[in-house]
Amino acid sequence: MLTIQEALSQGTRLLDDERIVAPRLTAEVLLCHALHCERVYLYAHSEEPLTELAWIHYGRYLKERIDGKPTQYITQQQEFYGRAFFVSPDVLIPRPETEHLVEAALKYGRNSRMAIDVGCGSGAIAVTLALELKHARVFASDISPGAVKVARRNAETHGAKVRFLDGDLLAPVRDGSMDLVASNPPYVPRTDEPSLQREVRDFEPEVALYGGPTGNEMYGRLIPEALRVLKPGGWLIMELGYRSLKPVRRLLHSEWRAVQAIDDLGGIPRVLVAQKVP
Ligand SMILES: C[S@@+](CC[C@H](N)C(=O)[O-])C[C@H]1O[C@@H](n2cnc3c(N)ncnc32)[C@H](O)[C@@H]1O
C-alpha cells in the first residue's frame, strides 16, 4: 500500500497531466477529505501507509476532479467570511468576491432592524449577516427549494437566526418593511455560456448563473422590487457582473441616491450600493 507522501505525489501528477489548476493543493485537499484529517496531518504522517478504504475514496475524488467536478462539490465545503459552509450542486459555490458585498452590507446596514438576502443560495450572505449584524432580523429567499434546504442547514450549523421565505425575488416581502436588501443575483450573460470554465458551466446550477441574454435582466426586476420593500433611507447592496456597472447605474433613477460602486481586489467594480431617497 502507498504511503501518504507517495499518494500525494501520484495524485499531483495525475491532476497535473490533466491540466487541473493547483494540482498539489488539490491532491492535498482531496486526500484530507479521504482521511478526514487536516492538511498538517499529511506532513506529520507522510510515511504512514494509506488504508485500502482511504485509497479507494481518494481515487474516486481524483477521478471526479479530473472529470471537471469542482473540489468544493467533492468535499462539500467552502469557506466564506471565516466560516465553513456546506455546499452541494444545488447551490453556487460562494466566491471570495462576495465578501466585498458582505463588508458593504455590514457598513451601510449596520443599524438595520430588518434585512434580507435575495437569492440566498448556500446562505453564505444571510448567515453571515445574521451573525454579524447584532440588531437585525435577517430574512433569506431563493426560488430554488434545493438551495433553501442547503441554506437552512448552514444557518442551523452556525446557530444563525435566519427566516426563510419562498418565492420569486422579493414577492413575499411587505412594502416598506426592510432597512437592507442584499443580493448576489444571477448575472452571467447567456451568450457567455460557451466560454465559461467547464467547472462552472457543467456543474453549478443554471438558475444561479444566468441572468438572461445580457446578464442584466435580474437587476431590471430586482431594483424596482427593492424600491418597493425598502423603508425610506434603506440600502440596496448588490453584487455586479463584470460588465454590469453601466447598465445597472442606468436603472437607478431619482428615487435613489448615494450610488457608488466598490471595486474588488482585481480593480473590477464588484458591488453597487444605493440608498432609497429618505
Ligand atoms: C449567484 S447565486 C448567489 C448565491 C449566494 N447568495 C452566494 O452569494 O453565494 C444566485 C441565487 O439566486 C437564486 N435565484 C435565481 N433566480 C431567482 C428568483 N427569481 N428569485 C429568487 N432567487 C432566485 C438562485 O437559485 C441562486 O441561489
Side-chain angles (χ1 to χ4, degrees):
M1 200 42 78
L2 293 183
T3 63
I4 284 181
Q5 194 178 9
E6 288 163 345
L8 271 180
S9 304
Q10 249 191 46
T12 305
R13 214 167 30 247
L14 274 172
L15 294 167
D16 198 26
D17 287 349
E18 299 292 332
R19 302 190 187 290
I20 301 294
V21 269
R24 172 74 187 194
L25 176 63
T26 305
E28 288 182 7
V29 170
L30 296 180
L31 187 54
C32 286
H33 189 51
L35 292 170
H36 307 286
C37 70
E38 300 289 328
R39 267 170 70 208
V40 62
Y41 184 95
L42 304 180
Y43 290 94
H45 301 83
S46 58
E47 297 304 325
E48 202 173 89
L50 242 57
T51 64
E52 196 175 338
L53 194 63
W55 178 241
I56 290 169
H57 283 158
Y58 180 53
R60 197 182 74 218
Y61 302 151
L62 286 169
K63 163 91 171 63
E64 286 178 337
R65 184 66 196 91
I66 284 166
D67 289 344
K69 191 170 188 178
T71 305
Q72 294 91 332
Y73 286 151
I74 301 171
T75 61
Q76 300 190 310
Q77 193 171 308
Q78 172 63 31
E79 294 283 316
F80 184 80
Y81 213 77
R83 298 183 179 93
F85 282 81
F86 169 79
V87 293
S88 79
D90 277 328
V91 297
L92 187 95
I93 298 165
R95 306 294 203 267
E97 299 89 80
T98 303
E99 294 186 351
H100 293 293
L101 179 151
V102 166
E103 293 286 359
L106 295 178
K107 180 175 171 190
Y108 293 95
R110 62 189 173 279
N111 297 320
S112 299
R113 297 263 159 200
M114 298 278 282
I116 183 160
D117 170 20
V118 188
C120 63
S122 64
I125 298 171
V127 167
T128 307
L129 293 182
L131 294 173
E132 304 288 335
L133 283 174
K134 299 293 173 214
H135 308 294
R137 289 183 63 170
V138 176
F139 296 79
S141 73
D142 204 291
I143 203 160
S144 152
V148 171
K149 213 166 146 193
V150 170
R152 266 188 207 285
R153 173 174 170 165
N154 280 316
E156 269 169 35
T157 302
H158 291 292
K161 222 168 165 194
V162 178
R163 288 124 182 118
F164 290 94
L165 305 174
D166 288 329
D168 188 7
L169 295 182
L170 287 158
V173 180
R174 267 190 301 116
D175 294 7
S177 58
M178 291 288 157
D179 300 291
L180 172 68
V181 172
S183 184
N184 174 16
Y187 55 64
V188 178
R190 225 351 141 166
T191 45
D192 280 6
E193 186 177 348
S195 59
L196 292 181
Q197 282 179 305
R198 70 174 171 156
E199 280 81 355
V200 176
R201 186 189 55 229
D202 298 347
F203 290 89
E204 297 203 79
E206 287 205 1
V207 67
L209 294 175
Y210 302 111
T214 69
N216 297 319
E217 286 73 5
M218 207 54 93
Y219 299 107
R221 294 183 53 214
L222 183 58
I223 290 170
E225 287 200 36
L227 189 68
R228 176 181 66 76
V229 305
L230 279 171
K231 297 175 191 168
W235 292 93
L236 169 62
I237 310 216
M238 298 181 297
E239 185 162 317
L240 293 171
Y242 73 101
R243 286 185 302 227
S244 302
L245 178 58
K246 267 195 189 161
V248 172
R249 263 190 192 276
R250 270 189 241 119
L251 297 168
L252 293 160
H253 305 300
S254 58
E255 305 92 336
W256 299 95
R257 64 168 219 181
V259 176
Q260 61 155 313
I262 298 168
D263 289 355
D264 63 19
L265 298 176
I268 296 169
R270 183 59 65 187
V271 178
L272 194 105
V273 177
Q275 186 180 32
K276 179 172 172 176
V277 168

